[in-house]
Amino acid sequence: MTAPADPLALAADWLPTPESGLTPTVTLSTVGLDGYPSARTVLLSRFDGERLHFHTDTRSRKAAELAADPRATVTVLQPEVARQLVVTGDVRRVTDEEARVAFAARTRYLQVLAWLNDHELAAEPTTRRRERWAAFVQERDDALEPPDTWVGYAITPVRMLFWQGDVDGPSNRLAYERTADGAWALEHWPG
């Protein structure tokens, strides 16, 4: 694997572009309110060349954890090409306009989910959840705007780890760390 000086350029090569229509599922890890790691799967909304974006509900556990400690790690696994990208960094909320654009790019199913998926609905029996879903879909056949609880976040990397598998030899890892002056330091790690 070639080691460019700028890991953001390598990330741009590895991650799908918005034009591809692909929205990768990634593992988002935060620091739990109890101090333990907290991980879940989210959609990577986009990579803008500098930051990785994801979206959630303001009432979610991850939103509370990010409010308490705005640092996270995203793990992007691409088994079909034997790659893994792990990005750790500082998290900030995106603008309302950026969040609105991301919402508009979601499928209708995911938009409805953003409107309905709360603790109250989760506690309902399956039949009742489906009834409420069907009623909402029937009532709202228009284009949906984001609910007030829709929020976006972006991770600005401070560490990036690229792993590349190799069926004919040893795997390889490139470990980048942002230095105090904003440059990137690179180390080669065993796979």
Side-chain angles (χ1 to χ4, degrees):
M1 172 172 32
T2 305
D6 183 359
L8 297 171
L10 184 55
D13 286 342
W14 280 29
L15 294 170
T17 63
E19 297 77 32
S20 72
L22 300 175
T23 307
T25 303
V26 301
T27 301
L28 171 69
S29 301
T30 55
V31 178
L33 298 177
D34 58 3
Y36 286 98
S38 181
R40 79 286 286 150
T41 303
V42 299
L43 294 176
L44 181 65
S45 299
R46 74 185 198 121
F47 173 61
D48 65 14
E50 295 181 13
R51 305 173 302 161
L52 289 87
H53 296 242
F54 63 94
H55 294 78
T56 190
D57 190 298
T58 57
R59 300 165 294 182
S60 68
R61 181 174 43 103
K62 60 188 146 314
E65 292 168 351
L66 290 169
D69 190 348
R71 297 177 294 171
T73 295
V74 169
T75 304
V76 184
L77 181 62
Q78 298 172 316
E80 66 282 356
V81 290
R83 289 180 177 167
Q84 178 179 278
L85 170 58
V86 181
V87 178
T88 299
D90 300 310
V91 180
R92 300 270 187 273
R93 283 179 71 155
V94 302
T95 67
D96 290 344
E97 181 57 27
E98 287 174 306
R100 199 173 357 275
V101 168
F103 186 83
R106 295 287 167 104
T107 64
R108 178 73 174 189
Y109 171 83
L110 291 173
Q111 290 178 347
V112 173
L113 190 65
W115 271 94
L116 294 180
N117 201 23
D118 60 16
H119 289 286
E120 180 185 324
L121 184 68
E124 296 278 357
T126 302
T127 304
R128 180 69 185 127
R129 288 196 316 267
R130 289 183 176 159
E131 288 170 354
R132 286 185 55 196
W133 184 280
F136 182 90
V137 168
Q138 186 175 11
E139 291 169 10
R140 302 289 303 270
D141 62 355
D142 57 334
L144 293 175
E145 290 294 319
D148 293 340
T149 56
W150 177 258
V151 66
Y153 295 96
I155 300 173
T156 301
V158 296
R159 283 194 297 266
M160 300 180 79
L161 180 63
F162 297 82
W163 174 84
Q164 178 69 63
D166 184 345
V167 295
D168 296 321
S171 55
N172 187 20
R173 286 194 291 173
L174 303 176
Y176 292 86
E177 181 119 11
R178 197 180 293 271
T179 61
D181 66 359
W184 290 97
L186 168 65
E187 291 184 9
H188 294 266
W189 290 0

